[in-house]
Amino acid sequence: MNDTSEKVTPSILDRSRIVLAHGGGGQLTDQLISEVILPRLGNETLNELDDAAILNGNIAMTIDSYVVDPWQFPGGDIGKLAVCGTVNDLSVSGAKPLGIALSLILTEGFAKRDLETILDSIGESAAEADVKIVTGDTKVIPGSGIFITTAGVGLRDPAVKLASRYIRPGDKIIINRPIAEHGLTVMLAREMPDMQSVLKTDASPLNGLIDLLLKQVPGEDVRFLRDATRSGIAGVTTDIATNTGYHVMLHEPDIPVDAHVQHAADMLGLDVLEVANEGVVVAVVSPDVADQAVAVMRQHPYGRQACVIGEVQNNRDGICEITTMIGGHRIVHKPYGEQLPRIC
Amino acid sequence: MNDTSEKVTPSILDRSRIVLAHGGGGQLTDQLISEVILPRLGNETLNELDDAAILNGNIAMTIDSYVVDPWQFPGGDIGKLAVCGTVNDLSVSGAKPLGIALSLILTEGFAKRDLETILDSIGESAAEADVKIVTGDTKVIPGSGIFITTAGVGLRDPAVKLASRYIRPGDKIIINRPIAEHGLTVMLAREMPDMQSVLKTDASPLNGLIDLLLKQVPGEDVRFLRDATRSGIAGVTTDIATNTGYHVMLHEPDIPVDAHVQHAADMLGLDVLEVANEGVVVAVVSPDVADQAVAVMRQHPYGRQACVIGEVQNNRDGICEITTMIGGHRIVHKPYGEQLPRIC
């Protein structure tokens, strides 16, 4: 009955205990899911490990907890993240958001005006995404900060077919905008709170952009969508390689990175491919519609810098590779733990 | 950008800060919802403040965070609570559970075997309730313990009409089993962890019992269902009085309380009416079917001690009153904050 877990800061190599990196969305998170969670709770739906589960043929459901530290950062806060993350998880599964459930875990002493700021931000993001908060819960614990869990329910047209199993060799990989802005913004806000930085989170609801894409590009030619959050572009593209068994080739010179973001990453020794985004969608589309898909995305404010960043190739090695700026090649690995804890 | 909320343990009277009691499900929680949350996020669906929101006519959605301390106690743990609570919230809204989304916030150093115990318990409770965990998320933060948020989606027969607005004078108030077991079990486990207590949580999925009731008792005669969790029977019956505007009369000698539970409550100075339950449903039914509803509940393992505990009367004062053991009368108030923090 005693809590044997109190007050231990374990080594990342202590396999008997949870470490921060288990929440990083990388290999360690995958291990926890496959070794501890799925053997106990696995079923046909959960085993898909998609951003959203599909129930009863057309009801999409998703959930995510947000523990970002600090809760506020340039361009947004934990409330905006929670709404955008849930809307985006529904959208990349091809569903239109129907409602969001909001559960707050507050800490004793948290300032009400800070809660108000966060709720205002939730309201603004929900209004932008045209979705309502339909139910909620509030709990209070000792400690500091705020933790938010949002669940989303949406409806999916049963005709929509988006999954990594539809990906074919030759398909192009597209993203909608420059990468790595969210993670580096939070990192700078945390480590250098007094510094004015020019970075700003990219957190944004992508349902409008994705809706446009799915309406204007012929159905079956959009194979797969995923928002590149924890573990970044590298997480998504290595998952594509692993799950399809094909070779994924990225082209570094084509991947848009803002110069300030690149400087911040270089300074901190971080790989922009692995840094979390909150407004970047990775789309895999058939080669015939790649130009059209890019053009459609560019019509939308959140897709002005859309471009092709790579392709799926026919070698069946399940590896993700990148041609670098200077023409070399390197293998892209799924991040092990986390570069940056508590980034979302 | 700085977190102004760190490391302050505020007085319950400091109106600028969150206190533990804001999470107690009593008057302070109601205030937070009506003064801070609804003005920012309110809409037709959220404003109902029901256990579950109804979307698109027949999709029920609910969410709850669980922060119970300790995470394990006689008869159950935080995992069982999370599944039962979500199943029950769907059930009292008249919906059949379709899937549960599970979000874990773990703390650094939490023992993996404890997580395994909790996941096993989630699996067992979900199997008993015949519902699957369909999607999830995992985050890790510094600190100690574990916080679980579960969201549920269910389908409701559009013919089912359960809401406090259907309650009429003369209606009977029924509960399925003895009260106050969960809250006192957790309290003893927290305050006297080395003592063997005979108390045991009542946490249980009530969908089977409620299903039976709604099948066997004519549709419109079951007016309203609510599980009596935080703030206990008093919370539900005072809400019924407030929301309908009628007088609610409870009859203390009829309310089943286990003798050990009553002793524990007396010892701790707690009112059993205000203590949290996790397996008690309050049903309001028309007087014509009250005996039948009790008989139906008694067919089910979780309803063996079902009985009528009071009625709705015609005075339009919105007050809840109780006739006591010794024949006196007292007003029942909605608990202000919490008797017992972190009980679920």
Side-chain angles (χ1 to χ4, degrees):
Chain A
M1 293 293 158
N2 293 318
D3 187 343
T4 54
S5 302
E6 304 265 357
K7 294 171 198 96
V8 181
T9 302
S11 146
I12 197 168
L13 299 174
D14 178 352
R15 293 183 53 85
S16 75
R17 294 194 179 270
I18 297 297
V19 295
L20 281 182
H22 279 116
Q27 291 181 39
L28 266 188
T29 304
D30 289 355
Q31 264 179 32
L32 188 73
I33 292 171
S34 64
E35 292 172 11
V36 179
I37 298 179
L38 290 186
R40 292 175 171 82
L41 303 180
N43 58 69
E44 220 178 27
T45 314
L46 185 63
N47 296 351
E48 292 279 328
L49 299 178
D50 278 334
D51 283 317
I54 304 297
L55 308 176
N56 221 31
N58 69 335
I59 302 173
M61 181 184 203
T62 182
I63 194 164
D64 270 299
S65 288
Y66 295 84
V67 301
V68 63
D69 174 34
W71 61 262
Q72 193 176 45
F73 37 82
D77 60 26
I78 190 172
K80 184 177 191 179
L81 276 196
V83 172
C84 293
T86 291
V87 165
N88 294 348
D89 280 347
L90 291 173
S91 300
V92 295
S93 76
K96 305 217 167 132
L98 206 56
I100 288 182
L102 170 72
S103 199
L104 305 171
I105 300 181
L106 307 173
T107 54
E108 204 180 8
F110 198 75
K112 264 196 205 166
R113 66 168 181 282
D114 290 343
L115 176 60
E116 288 165 356
T117 300
I118 292 166
L119 291 169
D120 283 336
S121 161
I122 288 173
E124 278 161 29
S125 299
E128 185 188 346
D130 195 22
V131 61
K132 291 186 166 42
I133 307 301
V134 295
T135 189
D137 183 42
T138 307
K139 294 290 187 329
V140 183
I141 57 173
S144 71
I146 177 171
F147 312 108
I148 297 184
T149 303
T150 38
V153 163
L155 288 182
R156 189 173 76 157
D157 178 348
V160 171
K161 288 200 161 73
L162 291 168
S164 55
R165 65 178 170 279
Y166 299 116
I167 295 174
R168 298 280 167 269
D171 284 353
K172 300 293 183 188
I173 299 172
I174 296 174
I175 61 173
N176 60 313
R177 52 163 295 138
I179 64 169
E181 297 180 3
H182 175 72
L184 287 161
T185 301
V186 173
M187 194 61 178
L188 288 182
R190 187 189 307 164
E191 301 302 326
M192 309 176 198
D194 299 325
M195 209 184 82
Q196 279 283 356
S197 106
V198 292
L199 304 194
K200 221 173 79 158
T201 179
D202 64 339
S204 36
L206 296 174
N207 53 329
L209 174 78
I210 289 172
D211 207 29
L212 196 68
L213 180 70
L214 294 177
K215 259 190 201 133
Q216 298 204 3
V217 174
E220 315 239 312
D221 286 329
V222 181
R223 322 285 205 194
F224 173 84
L225 298 171
R226 173 77 49 96
D227 52 335
T229 56
R230 285 182 298 179
S231 81
I233 294 290
V236 178
T237 54
T238 54
D239 275 352
I240 292 172
T242 306
N243 295 340
T244 62
Y246 293 118
H247 192 83
V248 169
M249 179 65 83
L250 302 180
H251 193 226
E252 194 169 35
D254 293 341
I255 301 177
V257 185
D258 174 87
H260 298 100
V261 169
Q262 188 66 59
H263 289 152
D266 291 346
M267 182 180 78
L268 295 165
L270 299 175
D271 179 351
V272 289
L273 286 182
E274 299 190 4
V275 174
N277 311 281
E278 292 289 342
V280 172
V281 60
V282 176
V284 182
V285 306
S286 90
D288 306 338
V289 302
D291 290 345
Q292 187 193 353
V294 167
V296 169
M297 280 191 181
R298 288 186 175 184
Q299 292 167 32
H300 193 279
Y302 294 143
R304 295 268 180 260
Q305 287 175 265
C307 59
V308 174
I309 63 162
E311 62 177 2
V312 179
Q313 298 184 337
N314 207 2
N315 339 10
R316 299 223 47 132
D317 59 10
I319 283 176
C320 182
E321 188 182 356
I322 190 166
T323 54
T324 65
M325 290 294 181
I326 56 168
H329 287 73
R330 70 175 172 92
I331 305 295
V332 177
H333 294 285
K334 184 157 187 175
Y336 180 69
E338 91 291 19
Q339 296 181 312
L340 313 171
R342 298 186 66 186
I343 215 68
C344 63
Chain B
M1 294 292 157
N2 293 317
D3 187 345
T4 54
S5 302
E6 304 265 357
K7 294 172 195 94
V8 182
T9 301
S11 146
I12 197 169
L13 300 174
D14 179 351
R15 293 183 52 86
S16 75
R17 295 196 177 268
I18 296 297
V19 295
L20 282 181
H22 278 116
Q27 291 182 40
L28 265 188
T29 304
D30 289 354
Q31 264 179 32
L32 188 72
I33 292 171
S34 64
E35 292 172 11
V36 180
I37 298 180
L38 290 185
R40 293 177 170 81
L41 304 180
N43 57 70
E44 221 178 26
T45 314
L46 185 64
N47 295 353
E48 293 279 328
L49 299 177
D50 278 334
D51 283 316
I54 304 297
L55 309 175
N56 221 32
N58 69 335
I59 303 173
M61 180 183 205
T62 181
I63 194 165
D64 270 299
S65 289
Y66 295 85
V67 301
V68 62
D69 173 33
W71 60 262
Q72 193 176 45
F73 38 80
D77 60 26
I78 190 172
K80 184 176 191 178
L81 277 196
V83 172
C84 293
T86 291
V87 165
N88 294 348
D89 279 348
L90 291 174
S91 300
V92 296
S93 77
K96 303 216 170 133
L98 206 55
I100 289 182
L102 171 71
S103 199
L104 304 170
I105 300 180
L106 308 173
T107 53
E108 205 181 8
F110 198 75
K112 265 197 205 164
R113 65 169 180 281
D114 290 342
L115 177 60
E116 288 165 356
T117 300
I118 292 165
L119 292 169
D120 283 335
S121 162
I122 288 173
E124 279 160 30
S125 299
E128 185 189 344
D130 194 23
V131 62
K132 291 187 167 41
I133 307 302
V134 295
T135 189
D137 184 42
T138 306
K139 295 289 190 327
V140 183
I141 57 172
S144 70
I146 177 171
F147 311 109
I148 297 184
T149 303
T150 39
V153 163
L155 287 182
R156 190 173 75 158
D157 178 349
V160 170
K161 290 198 160 76
L162 291 167
S164 56
R165 66 177 169 278
Y166 299 117
I167 295 174
R168 297 284 167 269
D171 284 353
K172 299 293 182 187
I173 298 172
I174 295 173
I175 62 174
N176 61 313
R177 53 162 295 139
I179 65 169
E181 297 180 3
H182 175 72
L184 286 161
T185 301
V186 173
M187 194 61 179
L188 287 181
R190 186 190 307 163
E191 301 301 326
M192 309 177 198
D194 299 325
M195 209 183 82
Q196 279 285 356
S197 107
V198 293
L199 304 195
K200 221 172 77 158
T201 179
D202 64 339
S204 36
L206 295 175
N207 52 331
L209 174 79
I210 289 171
D211 209 29
L212 196 68
L213 179 70
L214 294 177
K215 259 190 200 134
Q216 299 204 2
V217 174
E220 315 239 313
D221 285 329
V222 181
R223 322 284 205 195
F224 174 81
L225 298 171
R226 172 77 49 99
D227 53 336
T229 56
R230 284 182 299 178
S231 83
I233 295 289
V236 178
T237 54
T238 54
D239 274 352
I240 291 172
T242 308
N243 295 340
T244 63
Y246 292 119
H247 192 82
V248 169
M249 180 65 84
L250 302 179
H251 192 226
E252 193 169 36
D254 293 340
I255 301 177
V257 185
D258 174 86
H260 299 101
V261 169
Q262 187 66 61
H263 288 151
D266 291 345
M267 183 180 78
L268 295 165
L270 299 176
D271 180 351
V272 289
L273 287 181
E274 298 189 4
V275 174
N277 311 280
E278 291 290 340
V280 172
V281 60
V282 177
V284 182
V285 306
S286 89
D288 305 338
V289 302
D291 291 344
Q292 187 193 352
V294 167
V296 169
M297 281 192 181
R298 288 188 175 184
Q299 292 166 33
H300 194 280
Y302 294 143
R304 296 270 180 257
Q305 288 176 265
C307 60
V308 174
I309 63 162
E311 62 179 2
V312 179
Q313 298 184 337
N314 207 2
N315 339 10
R316 300 223 47 134
D317 59 10
I319 282 176
C320 180
E321 188 181 356
I322 190 165
T323 55
T324 65
M325 291 291 181
I326 56 168
H329 286 73
R330 69 175 173 91
I331 303 296
V332 177
H333 294 284
K334 184 157 190 176
Y336 181 68
E338 92 291 17
Q339 295 180 314
L340 313 171
R342 297 187 66 185
I343 214 68
C344 64

